[in-house]
Amino acid sequence: RKEVEQDPGPFNVPEGATVAFNCTYSNSASQSFFWYRQDCRKEPKLLMSVYSSGNEDGRFTAQLNRASQYISLLIRDSKLSDSATYLCVVNGYPGNQFYFGTGTSLTVIP
Amino acid sequence: GAGVSQSPSNKVTEKGKDVELRCDPISGHTALYWYRQSLGQGLEFLIYFQGNSAPDKSGLPSDRFSAERTGGSVSTLTIQRTQQEDSAVYLCASSLSGGRTDTQYFGPGTRLTVL
């Protein structure tokens, strides 16, 4: 079983739509969770960390469900500039590794 | 300030040749990671350096892969006797202290093509 699994998509949504991505992880001891964004042929960049209580940054909301071992990312009022691949990242406690999902592709259509 | 830099940006080599990839982390960052990303695949962890501690090499796929970090800064990833399946983008990232909540800052990657 993969450490981190994501629906690869693609998700094609119109501007202004709300879209949600889920990600599951296998190591119940994992302590740190992130969403990274990767534009085509570019390096990944941190979008947001995911905290146990859930957190929001503008149009982006991240949630963590430890009992079910999944994290989610909600994007409201989608913009064309949100088109990218979103990577779910989980730390590999107790080691130093970070496990990346294969990414979910989002295209926002005018 | 300057971000993570990697060189070369592209490398084309013949099967069986050795290659060296270079990573310059952000100044002051003590942790450095190497990953590779194959087409349609997620990032695969290769190796992790933290300060003067022994590196975590658990992700290296074979003994043809090795990495070193000199003076706690620049790192080189060496692939000996390259194979076609080594073709991928090799990404380097650094973080301030290697903590589990630290942000990783990625370089632009080296695109390796083995013919």
Side-chain angles (χ1 to χ4, degrees):
Chain A
R1 181 184 173 185
K2 289 184 179 179
E3 295 284 342
V4 179
E5 299 206 51
Q6 292 182 249
D7 179 349
F11 285 71
N12 299 312
V13 302
E15 271 186 291
T18 295
V19 62
F21 309 137
N22 287 329
C23 162
T24 59
Y25 61 94
S26 61
N27 185 351
S28 59
S30 293
Q31 299 178 337
S32 303
F33 311 89
F34 311 86
W35 285 100
Y36 276 70
R37 169 190 169 132
Q38 185 172 26
D39 291 290
C40 187
R41 299 179 77 88
K42 297 286 190 181
E43 70 273 20
K45 293 184 179 178
L46 178 69
L47 177 66
M48 58 197 305
S49 301
V50 186
Y51 304 123
S52 296
S53 55
N55 48 300
E56 187 174 309
D57 182 1
R59 298 180 293 107
F60 299 84
T61 301
Q63 296 278 356
L64 168 64
N65 184 317
R66 286 191 182 273
S68 301
Q69 294 180 211
Y70 79 80
I71 66 175
S72 64
L73 177 68
L74 182 77
I75 305 175
R76 291 182 299 278
D77 189 23
S78 299
K79 310 291 185 191
L80 296 178
S81 57
D82 295 334
S83 298
T85 296
Y86 291 84
L87 304 172
C88 172
V89 185
V90 177
N91 92 286
Y93 185 87
N96 302 309
Q97 298 185 22
F98 287 84
Y99 294 100
F100 286 70
T102 53
T104 299
S105 173
L106 171 67
T107 300
V108 181
I109 304 164
Chain B
V4 178
S5 62
Q6 292 186 244
S7 61
S9 54
N10 281 285
K11 176 72 177 178
V12 180
T13 190
E14 293 179 347
K15 178 181 173 181
K17 301 284 189 183
D18 297 352
V19 295
E20 274 194 2
L21 313 179
R22 177 187 169 106
C23 172
D24 279 275
I26 293 172
S27 178
H29 281 196
T30 63
L32 187 148
Y33 306 78
W34 281 99
Y35 298 88
R36 72 177 175 182
Q37 187 172 31
S38 304
L39 190 63
Q41 301 295 314
L43 274 71
E44 176 188 3
F45 167 81
L46 297 177
I47 189 169
Y48 163 74
F49 295 90
Q50 169 53 45
N52 296 320
S53 303
D56 177 352
K57 304 179 181 181
S58 59
L60 295 178
S62 78
D63 59 8
R64 296 187 295 105
F65 288 73
S66 62
E68 62 178 26
R69 189 179 184 191
T70 54
S73 181
V74 172
S75 176
T76 54
L77 177 70
T78 301
I79 309 174
Q80 295 178 311
R81 305 180 301 283
T82 51
Q83 304 294 312
Q84 289 182 332
E85 60 262 29
D86 299 334
S87 296
V89 177
Y90 288 81
L91 290 159
C92 172
S94 70
S95 70
L96 188 59
S97 62
R100 295 194 180 94
T101 59
D102 279 6
T103 299
Q104 293 184 53
Y105 296 88
F106 284 83
T110 294
R111 184 173 298 275
L112 175 67
T113 304
V114 182
L115 301 177

